[in-house]
Every structure is written in C-alpha cells, then in structure tokens.
C-alpha cells in the first residue's frame, strides 16, 4: 500500500490550508464532534436558511484525514438542502468504507484510500457527523465511538 | 526458563529470538515494535507456560481435593510467592491478584469509601494515567473529599515538589502517583514521595504499571502502602495484575468484590471474610495468568532488571537526542534520566498521521492522548506520538524510527 493512496494531494492540501476554517457569526446551528480515542475535536457552524445550508464552517484540531475531510465537507455542503446533504454523506460513507470512487465527485473520491485503513474511517466521517447533527438541530456532541 | 544469553552480558539482539511474534514482517518490513508502553510482547517461555498449564494442570483452585486441583492451587500460590519475592514484599499475603493496574487502583478507591469524609483530601499528580485519576475523582465524589494535584513543571515533565508540604498538610489521606510516567517518561522520586506521605499520615499508592517490568522495584525500600502493576506490560499475559498492600492495611479494609473464595463462612443473612489476600479475590481467578506471570518474572530476572532498565533508558535517551534534530519537533519529558519511552509532537503532522506513516514501514508507534488527557490539555497539545522501548528493541530499530520521523516531517510539513 502506497501512502500517497491514502494521503492524496487533495487531502494534504486541504489539511495544510483548510477551507471555511473559522467561526460563523451568523450560525444558527452548531454541533461538535469528538473522537475519544485520539482526542480529535471538531465544531461545525451552520447558517440554516429554511431547509438550505446557506453557509457552513468548522474549527478544531485533528489528523490530516479529519481536517481535510471537514474542509472538503464544508465546500460540498454549502448551498445544499438537508436532503441533498444526507445523500452526499451517504455517498461519502460508501467511498470511505468500500473504496468506491465517485467519478463525478473527485474531491470526495480523494478519500477512497481510507477504506484500506479501517482505523481511520472514523477520522474521515467525524466532521460529517457533526454537520448532520448540527442541521438537525441536535446540539449534543457527536462521537465516533 | 533461562533466556538464550549469558545473564552477565545480555546479548540484546539475540534476546529477540525468545519472542516469536517479533519475527514477522508488517507491510513488507521487519516489524519494529515500539508500543511497549501499551503492552509488551511475550517470550516463548511465557506462552509455553500457559500451554503447559492448560494441557497438564488445569483445575479450579482452593476448592478441590483431587490431584489436578491441588496442582493448580500449588501453581497459583507459587506465583503469589514469586511475586512477593520479585517486589520484596514482607509476605505473600500482601499480594492480591487482580486483572491489572486499573483493577488494583479501583480496589483501593472502592474500599476507601468508608475511610474518607468531607474535609479530607486525595492527592495525585498532573501526570496521571486516567487509571490513576478517574477512580480518585469518583472516590472524592462519593465521600466529599477534595482532589488535589502536584503540578508538572512543563514540557520537561518533572513534578514540581516546591509546594508539596503545603499540599500534604491539607488533610491528605491518600497520595497516589506513578513511579514512571507513561507519557513523559519521568522517573519520579517514589521513595521520597512515600516518606513525605507517611510523615503526614497519608497512605501512599504507587502506580507501577510502567516501572515493574523495567527496573528493580522493592516495596519495602520504597516504603509504600500500596503498589499496583499489570502483567501484560512486563512480558506476562493480559488479564493478570498485582496489587501489593501493606498487610495491616489490607486486614483493616473491607472487601472489594464478593462471592466465592473470599468468604470464611456464609449464612443466609451474613458472612465472614476469608483472610487476606483471599478476601480480595472473589470468584475463580485468572490461574493461567498467574502461572504465565510467574514465568515472565523468572524470565526478566534471568536477564536482570538493572540491565533492562539501563538498556531501555539508553534507547530512550538516544531517541530523544536524535529526534531533537527533526525540524518542527516538540519533545516531552526530562532530557536526562528517563524511563524507556519518548513522546513528541511534530508541527504540521498530527500524531495519527505519523503513526499511520510509520506503520506503513512496519514500525508500531502509539498516537493520541495516551490516557493522560488533562496533562496534554495543560501543555496545550491534543495528541502526541510515543515510542516506548523494551528489552528486545535495538539501536538499529531506533535508527529506523529516526529515519521515518524525518520522512513524515517532510511528507506532512
Ligand atoms: C502509568 C499507567 N497506569 C495505569 C495503566 C493501566 O494499566 P492496565 O490497563 O493494564 O490496567 C497504564 C497502562 O496503560 C499506565 O501506563
């Protein structure tokens, strides 16, 4: 297994320069996620307009996989409806658990290598879980355990 | 039961052959096992002792009069005697078999519920493993006692003892601390700490999880009241551990768990307790585990604990000095005298990524908070990478560690 299959350039790049990494003053939904095994923590801020995600951002500390995944997640979810967000998360879960890339979504597909590292799947889904909790108005802390 | 080398001059590289698991490759590279702080590997003599026990002597202990039960009981009690000798306890009655360090510490915390009251205090350090912190948090909650902390100086990971007399004077009834920190590698002055506790009438509890298999431990020289450790961190099986307790204290204490084996007589409405240590060993114990631990202690002593301590510490000091040259590294724990482990953070590379990176080269490291979350919070870093060494590790393996950390720093940096 070549490490560059796990750490695709999309991942390394999003880890070095995470997008939408900030607090969102207009946020009306906030949720946190943490991984008690490694101490990774992510907070996702959502500005929900009706059933549309008008804006979304995150902050936190964690490994390259969790940071890059959260960064890509915010880019993909911005402007989506809740139903679209759920569908995207479902597709992303398939990519990281089964390694099936999605030719139409190269950024999400960059995480396909994760499926060969089962211990790291939780890292990839941490920010997504927090985002889904946030849009459902669920203010409890998402946990990968 | 002798290792395959001359005990006067251990041939460390040859000792590796005593450990069947170390012969394998991981991801196409010869395995380098540097996660000994979590659990150590087992030599063939320990594995064979388990097989021998189950193939020849297996029966329940203390309850049968047939031949196998006699043999199993003899083997189990011989292990207890061997443990007493290993840590220089005054009597084998002071040796309680447990599942491990965690259970030993919980045993004390649970039974001390009736001995503490509001206004009393429990003293621990800022470098505790969660196992030596959470049981005391719960004890404090149950009894209304306060939980106090001996501070850690900073990244150099020493206990700041400047205010300890003032702390102990605050009605401290129990002082618990690690002999060796599992994340900083600090070797604490256990003898001095026990003496200070005693001078204030406090009971001392030594968490010896990271020391018992790495250096000579003498409970009488330490002057401790309790000392807990785990077999699996010292070449023994999982699921077996030891709580040493001073006889008088053990006799005064209430039982922990209750059921079979721990009773003297049982009537429908009340019971009387068996004598120590059996009072604290309810139910069928891990007999095979005790047998395996016995074999592990023999193995370690045939090599010599002073030699093991020097070996592990040398690897750790070398690794510390050479890791210091990696760009962006932040090293934790004392730069001089230290136990056999090194913890570090790498700017731009999270611990989990470093661990995955090293794993691809067959090097097993540990990344995360290592069960000392409050300490990392204090030091302002969420996760670190740890390399922890044991008797079968070699300088050539440390070379591979240094190489992979340089490569990881470049890859993620
Ligand atoms: C310092 C220290 N204390 C306690 C423990 C707990 O040991 P166990 O999990 O074997 O009960 C550990 C193990 O990680 C440790 O390193």
């Amino acid at each position: 297994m070549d490490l560059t299959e796990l750490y695709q350039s999309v991942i390394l790049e999003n880890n070095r320069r995470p997008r939408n990494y900030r607090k969102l003053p207009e946020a009306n939904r906030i949720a946190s996620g943490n991984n008690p095994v490694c101490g990774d923590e992510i907070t996702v801020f959502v500005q929900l307009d009706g059933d549309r995600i008008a804006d979304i951002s995150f902050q936190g500390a964690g490994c390259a996989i969790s940071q890059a995944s959260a960064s890509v997640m915010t880019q993909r979810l911005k402007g989506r409806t809740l139903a679209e967000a759920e569908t995207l998360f479902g597709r992303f879960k398939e990519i990281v658990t089964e390694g099936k890339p999605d030719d139409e979504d190269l950024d999400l597909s960059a995480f396909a290598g994760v499926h060969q590292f089962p211990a790291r799947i939780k890292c990839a889904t941490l920010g997504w879980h927090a985002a889904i909790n946030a849009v459902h108005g669920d203010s409890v802390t998402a946990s990968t355990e | 039961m002798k290792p395959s080398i001359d005990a006067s001059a251990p041939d460390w590289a040859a000792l590796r052959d005593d450990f069947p698991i170390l012969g394998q490759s991981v991801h196409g590279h010869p395995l380098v096992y540097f996660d000994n702080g979590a659990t150590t590997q087992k030599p063939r003599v320990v594995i064979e002792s388990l097989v021998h026990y189950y193939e020849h002597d297996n029966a329940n202990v203390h309850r049968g009069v047939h031949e196998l039960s006699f043999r199993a009981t003899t083997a189990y009690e011989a292990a207890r005697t061997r443990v007493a000798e290993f840590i220089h306890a005054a009597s084998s009655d002071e040796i309680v078999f447990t599942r491990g360090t965690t259970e030993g510490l919980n045993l004390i915390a649970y039974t001390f519920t009736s001995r503490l009251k509001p206004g009393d205090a429990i003293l621990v350090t800022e470098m505790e493993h969660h196992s030596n912190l959470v049981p005391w948090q719960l004890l404090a909650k149950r009894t209304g006692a306060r939980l106090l902390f001996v501070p850690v100086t900073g990244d150099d990971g020493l206990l700041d003892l400047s205010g300890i007399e003032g702390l102990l004077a605050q009605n401290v009834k129990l002082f618990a601390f690690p002999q060796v920190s599992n994340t900083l590698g600090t070797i604490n002055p256990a003898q001095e700490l026990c003496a200070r506790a005693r001078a204030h009438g406090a009971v001392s509890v030594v968490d010896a999880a990271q020391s018992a298999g790495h250096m000579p431990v003498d409970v009488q020289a330490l002057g401790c009241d309790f000392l807990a450790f785990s077999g699996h961190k010292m070449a023994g099986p999982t699921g077996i551990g030891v709580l040493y307790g001073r006889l008088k204290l053990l006799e005064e204490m209430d039982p922990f768990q209750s059921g079979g084996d721990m009773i003297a007589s049982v009537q429908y409405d009340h019971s009387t307790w068996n004598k120590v240590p059996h009072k604290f060993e309810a139910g069928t114990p891990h007999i095979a585990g005790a047998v395996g631990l016995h074999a592990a202690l023999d193995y370690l002593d045939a090599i010599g604990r002073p030699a093991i301590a020097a070996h592990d510490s040398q690897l750790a000091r070398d690794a510390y000095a050479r890791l210091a040259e990696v760009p962006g590294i932040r090293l934790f724990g004392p730069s001089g005298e230290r136990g056999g482990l090194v913890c570090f953070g790498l700017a731009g590379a999270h611990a989990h990524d470093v661990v995955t990176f090293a794993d691809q080269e067959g090097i097993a490291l540990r990344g995360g908070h290592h069960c000392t979350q409050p300490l990392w919070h204090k030091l302002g870093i969420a996760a670190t990478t740890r390399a922890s060494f044991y008797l079968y590790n070699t300088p050539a393996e440390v070379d591979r560690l240094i190489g992979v950390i340089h490569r990881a720093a470049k890859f993620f940096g």
Side-chain angles (χ1 to χ4, degrees), chain B residues 37-38 99-103 105 127-132 178 180-182 207-210 229-233 366 370-371 386:
Chain B
R99 281 194 300 128
T101 310
T102 303
E103 191 178 53
L105 297 169
M127 61 170 79
E128 298 311 330
H129 187 279
H130 298 167
S131 293
N132 202 24
V180 172
S181 156
N182 69 307
D207 173 355
Q210 296 293 340
F229 56 96
S230 304
H232 71 95
K233 292 185 196 284
R366 169 102 182 256
H370 318 288
C371 298
R386 179 180 74 185

Side-chain angles (χ1 to χ4, degrees), chain B residues 99-290:
Chain B
R99 281 194 300 128
T101 310
T102 303
E103 191 178 53
L105 297 169
N106 274 278
L107 188 159
I108 307 167
Y110 182 84
T111 59
F112 265 62
T113 307
S114 58
R115 299 171 74 107
L116 295 189
K117 55 182 192 314
D120 289 342
I122 304 160
L123 182 61
V124 296
T125 74
E126 284 183 344
M127 61 170 79
E128 298 311 330
H129 187 279
H130 298 167
S131 293
N132 202 24
L133 173 58
V134 182
W136 310 123
Q137 288 175 345
L138 292 177
L139 174 62
K141 208 167 161 199
R142 282 196 299 274
T143 60
R146 283 168 310 140
L147 192 57
L148 306 176
F149 293 87
V150 180
V152 167
T153 46
D155 285 8
D156 58 350
L158 298 169
L159 288 181
D160 174 1
L161 297 179
S162 58
I164 190 159
E165 286 300 314
L167 284 167
L168 281 165
Q170 296 179 46
N171 241 342
V172 168
K173 291 291 178 326
L174 184 146
F175 179 19
F177 62 87
Q179 189 166 18
V180 172
S181 156
N182 69 307
T183 47
L184 299 164
T186 318
I187 304 174
N188 290 315
Q191 190 172 4
E192 176 194 337
L193 297 179
C194 292
R196 286 181 185 270
R198 193 166 49 250
H200 286 268
V203 162
S204 54
V205 178
V206 180
D207 173 355
Q210 296 293 340
S211 55
H214 291 264
M215 58 174 67
V217 170
D218 179 331
V219 289
Q220 296 187 66
L222 287 175
C224 58
D225 292 306
F226 295 102
L227 182 133
F229 56 96
S230 304
H232 71 95
K233 292 185 196 284
M234 52 197 297
T238 55
I240 187 78
V242 171
L243 175 66
Y244 159 84
R246 224 161 27 80
L247 191 59
K248 187 163 166 301
L249 269 170
L250 290 180
E251 282 172 344
E252 288 169 10
M253 282 154 61
D254 289 331
F256 175 39
Q257 294 175 344
S258 52
D261 272 341
M262 54 75 69
I263 42 78
S265 86
V266 177
Q267 299 176 23
Y268 277 118
D269 55 352
H270 76 281
S271 303
T272 55
W273 312 137
N274 201 338
K275 60 187 180 48
V276 294
H278 308 289
K279 180 170 87 179
F280 295 106
E281 293 181 3
T284 301
H286 188 5
I287 309 163

